[in-house]
Amino acid sequence: MADTGPDLEPEDRRRVVLKDVAALAGVSVKTVSNVVNGYVHVTPATRARVEAAIRELNYRPNLSARNLRQGRSGVIALAVPELDIPYFAELARLVVAAAEERSLTVLVDQTGGDRAREQLVAEGIRAHLIDGLIFSPLALTGEDLAARTDDTPMVLLGERIHHGPADHVVVRNVEAAREATLHLARLGRRRVAAIGAQDHPAAGTARLRLAGYREALAAAGLPADDGLVAPVAAYHRADGARAMARLLDRADPPDAVFCFNDLLALGALRTLLERGVDVPGDIAVAGFDDIEDGRYATPTLTTVAPDKEQLARRAVELLAERMAGAAPAAREIHVPHRLVVRESTAGRPARPAPDPAAAGRTS
Amino acid sequence: MADTGPDLEPEDRRRVVLKDVAALAGVSVKTVSNVVNGYVHVTPATRARVEAAIRELNYRPNLSARNLRQGRSGVIALAVPELDIPYFAELARLVVAAAEERSLTVLVDQTGGDRAREQLVAEGIRAHLIDGLIFSPLALTGEDLAARTDDTPMVLLGERIHHGPADHVVVRNVEAAREATLHLARLGRRRVAAIGAQDHPAAGTARLRLAGYREALAAAGLPADDGLVAPVAAYHRADGARAMARLLDRADPPDAVFCFNDLLALGALRTLLERGVDVPGDIAVAGFDDIEDGRYATPTLTTVAPDKEQLARRAVELLAERMAGAAPAAREIHVPHRLVVRESTAGRPARPAPDPAAAGRTS
């Protein structure tokens, strides 16, 4: 099949043009152009064929000139606080996959949650590189984003900004946190602690999940004890481990803990197991995010599972609409979540009792 | 301080030029240009000042024109197989940090280890976007890379390609795997299994770590039993869990397991704990990578810790040299590693005995 391509002498190769690629791939020049420009509406099979022809002919589009002319790079940015927080890494993989279906390449930008870097991202100082932005800000406020002058299409992910100036895809944090806490109360636990409170102004997630926790305590008729609300500097395992140690050192330690993310919960679990505390016998533990680690932890971790695939897919979809020129008012899309109950609250399933039939014919 | 800036009327703002930014930041035009162009040799403090001035004045460099003129974007790409493998996520964070010290932005590209996508990355089809490439290929061979026609500077990470056509930063895999396996043998284990063998042609890591494992068995005078070498389709937790289950189902299960990465080991641990096997009492487990999960697992995971920070720093350093025009022969840089012994092979430290002095004065 490769032999059907244009019969080019080596010295002609530097002059390969779009038409040669189209001939080899057996598609129209317009289709090759669509692939090169990263436009949607090219099937994966066609795209693969065109890319194979591009490689075979060593075709190199004059991209800088094209960018100036058409203002498209086929690249979108995903800006997240930290790539080695598994929640964001999983989300990044899903965004890359959803974007790929539209022939878009994803540039992943790690902001560190730093205000200055987030401002740079929002202000599009690298706007020449990207056609659109999916942004999960930590430090910026809705006012910051409303004051944005860059007009690169943008979709917000996560709970930081509400009623902001841009499309926004988010999980229902208050409801989800309430469900997780109610689950602990329904196990009969009476001293339900929370790990993950933060009081700096950018702590949107923390505030919403704390509100859900408090609503659940009230609904369950449990007293709110601020001593059981553990603040943390960040949402890493080490923060959860330290916060759990402080709770255990209290005169009246909790009998259950709702952690505002799974990393905090995994850190808390480690402290509990080190101190010889039985989970869930003495203390039941629930997290939030449903990262893979929690499914393999011992005990496995009860958690709130946001529909991350839908989160990624909807974000890319809304962004693609804006990039195609649609300009509806800012939309707020909620994706579903569910509580996944595992061993850290439900306990280990009893090991199957020895099968009496196998115990020998004489019994 | 902000009041000392140029006194611009709003309608003049669209004409802000480099000179205005320099005046407000109190630096030379050349320095502003260096920041805008992402060049090295700008201190973080100066860079922050210039960026603040850029934001305040809403200066927007004419980047597309600049790129055509100077051929620099200030962006490097990091192409890795999977972002939600914690090893690559941690590496990405470290590369972002090392690049930031040189005022370089990192574009993270997830290839999925797919040959066609890796070929696109190597062939620089998006070369207009980036000044350099740090690449951890899975599917491409050294021949593929030698045939590369794109001249974007490139540094390879990881063990896939050896004696290849580009700078290469790598850990000593054979030695590291041998050390981990010898550690298990020195605990007195006699049936040391390996999880992570792969026999497709691109399985560089697997081949090298298997070689180290076999060298260690020979050095320890242990027989090589191919039945104890468990192949896996991929290096995720689920693969490790399944492989461990198969090993346990053998008539003669192992008394130790060296897993070729930590995710495999964490999956294996989960299977062992589900089956009620004591770790390390019955089976000792070691991994490779030293990801954070292993430090919080129960038991904590013994592992080979490559110096990931140096891996990232050296890769960025070599790339920056090439981007600055240096053209030495391809270099192969080895970064250090160490074996970190934790509970999965050494057992839990005995809990401190009750302090006799605290037991009461009467005793």
Side-chain angles (χ1 to χ4, degrees):
Chain A
M1 285 302 283
D3 291 339
T4 62
D7 183 24
L8 295 170
E9 294 300 316
E11 60 270 31
D12 289 334
R13 293 210 158 216
R14 68 191 63 232
R15 274 174 277 132
V16 168
V17 293
L18 225 50
K19 209 167 58 173
D20 305 316
V21 177
L24 179 56
V27 301
S28 70
V29 167
K30 177 70 188 152
T31 298
V32 176
S33 163
N34 282 342
V35 170
V36 169
N37 289 302
Y39 289 151
V40 296
H41 306 312
V42 181
T43 68
T46 301
R47 185 167 151 253
R49 213 157 72 232
V50 171
E51 288 176 349
I54 286 173
R55 278 196 302 276
E56 181 161 341
L57 297 175
N58 197 23
Y59 168 70
R60 297 294 302 275
N62 184 347
L63 289 162
S64 292
R66 177 179 66 76
N67 284 345
L68 281 182
R69 206 169 57 241
Q70 308 188 337
R72 293 286 185 110
S73 66
V75 176
I76 62 173
L78 168 68
V80 296
E82 291 181 75
L83 273 175
D84 58 348
I85 286 195
Y87 174 74
F88 290 117
E90 291 184 10
L91 205 56
R93 175 177 55 79
L94 294 167
V95 167
V96 167
E100 193 162 42
E101 286 173 17
R102 296 169 184 269
S103 301
L104 293 168
T105 296
V106 178
L107 174 164
V108 185
D109 197 343
Q110 174 177 271
T111 63
D114 173 70
R115 188 176 160 80
R117 288 205 55 170
E118 289 190 348
Q119 203 116 33
L120 276 177
V121 166
E123 283 304 327
I125 206 160
R126 289 187 292 276
H128 63 302
L129 290 178
I130 61 160
D131 297 342
L133 170 65
I134 298 176
F135 193 10
S136 182
L138 263 190
L140 294 191
T141 64
E143 292 72 50
D144 290 326
L145 288 174
R148 178 174 180 254
T149 55
D150 182 54
D151 59 0
T152 307
M154 175 175 75
V155 171
L156 298 175
L157 272 191
E159 46 291 303
R160 176 64 194 94
I161 313 270
H162 275 276
H163 314 299
D167 289 341
H168 186 191
V169 187
V170 71
V171 69
R172 293 186 196 277
N173 275 286
V174 178
E175 290 82 337
R178 192 174 51 207
E179 286 163 36
T181 310
L182 271 177
H183 165 67
L184 296 170
R186 284 183 189 134
L187 296 174
R189 307 299 163 124
R190 287 295 163 258
R191 300 188 49 72
V192 181
I195 294 181
Q198 296 193 309
D199 58 6
H200 58 80
T205 308
R207 231 182 359 252
L208 295 171
R209 294 184 187 171
L210 185 60
Y213 159 80
R214 288 193 165 132
E215 283 185 22
L217 293 186
L222 296 177
D225 175 353
D226 277 349
L228 290 179
V229 174
V232 295
Y235 273 35
H236 294 202
R237 292 178 182 86
D239 303 286
R242 279 192 296 266
M244 191 70 243
R246 287 195 307 271
L247 287 170
L248 287 178
D249 290 341
R250 289 171 54 87
D252 50 356
D255 55 13
V257 190
F258 169 47
C259 301
F260 292 179
N261 82 351
D262 282 355
L263 285 187
L264 291 172
L266 291 167
L269 276 184
R270 178 67 201 160
T271 295
L272 290 167
L273 296 165
E274 267 174 11
R275 300 258 193 128
V277 177
D278 183 54
V279 178
D282 299 326
I283 301 187
V285 178
F288 200 116
D289 283 347
D290 191 27
I291 61 174
E292 196 187 83
D293 318 30
R295 279 172 246 157
Y296 284 84
T298 300
T300 54
L301 185 64
T302 292
T303 188
V304 172
D307 188 336
K308 281 171 273 190
E309 195 180 327
Q310 204 175 127
L311 204 63
R313 183 184 308 279
R314 296 290 280 144
V316 171
E317 195 177 295
L318 294 180
L319 186 63
E321 285 174 26
R322 300 250 170 218
M323 283 159 51
R331 295 163 287 186
E332 186 155 312
I333 308 284
H334 288 95
V335 301
H337 64 265
R338 65 201 173 89
L339 183 71
V340 183
V341 176
R342 299 203 188 98
E343 295 166 5
S344 67
T345 63
R348 289 281 297 279
R351 291 175 67 79
D355 180 354
R361 260 161 288 172
T362 54
S363 71
Chain B
M1 285 299 284
D3 291 340
T4 62
D7 183 26
L8 295 170
E9 293 300 315
E11 60 268 31
D12 287 332
R13 294 211 158 215
R14 68 191 63 233
R15 275 174 276 135
V16 168
V17 292
L18 225 49
K19 210 168 55 175
D20 305 317
V21 176
L24 179 55
V27 300
S28 70
V29 166
K30 177 69 189 152
T31 298
V32 176
S33 164
N34 282 343
V35 170
V36 169
N37 289 302
Y39 290 151
V40 296
H41 307 312
V42 181
T43 67
T46 302
R47 185 166 153 256
R49 212 158 70 231
V50 171
E51 287 176 351
I54 286 173
R55 279 197 302 279
E56 181 160 341
L57 297 175
N58 196 24
Y59 169 70
R60 298 293 300 274
N62 185 348
L63 289 161
S64 292
R66 177 179 66 78
N67 285 346
L68 282 181
R69 204 166 60 241
Q70 309 189 334
R72 292 287 184 110
S73 66
V75 176
I76 63 174
L78 169 67
V80 296
E82 292 182 74
L83 273 175
D84 58 348
I85 288 194
Y87 174 74
F88 289 117
E90 291 184 9
L91 205 55
R93 175 177 53 80
L94 294 167
V95 167
V96 168
E100 193 162 41
E101 286 173 17
R102 295 168 185 270
S103 300
L104 293 168
T105 296
V106 179
L107 174 164
V108 185
D109 197 343
Q110 175 177 271
T111 62
D114 174 69
R115 188 174 160 79
R117 287 206 56 170
E118 289 190 349
Q119 204 115 33
L120 276 177
V121 167
E123 284 303 330
I125 206 162
R126 288 187 293 274
H128 64 301
L129 290 180
I130 60 160
D131 297 341
L133 170 64
I134 298 176
F135 192 10
S136 182
L138 261 192
L140 295 191
T141 64
E143 293 71 52
D144 290 327
L145 289 174
R148 179 173 180 255
T149 56
D150 181 56
D151 59 0
T152 308
M154 175 175 74
V155 171
L156 298 175
L157 272 192
E159 46 291 304
R160 177 65 193 93
I161 314 271
H162 275 278
H163 315 300
D167 289 340
H168 186 191
V169 187
V170 71
V171 69
R172 293 186 196 277
N173 275 285
V174 178
E175 290 82 338
R178 192 173 52 208
E179 286 163 36
T181 310
L182 271 177
H183 165 67
L184 296 170
R186 284 183 188 134
L187 297 173
R189 307 299 163 124
R190 287 297 164 256
R191 300 190 47 73
V192 181
I195 294 181
Q198 296 193 310
D199 58 7
H200 59 79
T205 308
R207 233 183 358 254
L208 296 171
R209 294 184 187 172
L210 185 60
Y213 159 80
R214 289 195 165 129
E215 282 186 23
L217 293 187
L222 296 177
D225 175 353
D226 278 350
L228 290 179
V229 175
V232 296
Y235 273 34
H236 294 203
R237 292 179 182 87
D239 302 285
R242 279 191 296 265
M244 191 70 243
R246 288 195 307 273
L247 287 170
L248 288 178
D249 289 340
R250 288 171 54 89
D252 49 356
D255 55 12
V257 190
F258 169 46
C259 300
F260 292 180
N261 82 351
D262 282 354
L263 285 188
L264 291 172
L266 291 166
L269 276 184
R270 178 68 201 162
T271 296
L272 290 167
L273 296 165
E274 266 174 12
R275 301 258 195 126
V277 177
D278 182 55
V279 178
D282 298 326
I283 301 187
V285 177
F288 201 117
D289 282 349
D290 190 26
I291 62 174
E292 195 186 85
D293 317 30
R295 279 172 246 158
Y296 284 84
T298 301
T300 53
L301 185 63
T302 292
T303 189
V304 172
D307 187 336
K308 280 171 275 190
E309 195 180 328
Q310 203 174 128
L311 205 63
R313 184 185 307 280
R314 295 290 279 144
V316 171
E317 193 176 296
L318 294 180
L319 187 62
E321 285 173 27
R322 300 252 169 214
M323 283 159 49
R331 295 162 286 186
E332 186 156 311
I333 307 286
H334 289 94
V335 301
H337 64 266
R338 65 200 173 89
L339 183 72
V340 183
V341 176
R342 299 203 187 99
E343 294 166 4
S344 68
T345 63
R348 287 284 296 280
R351 292 176 65 79
D355 180 355
R361 261 161 285 171
T362 56
S363 71

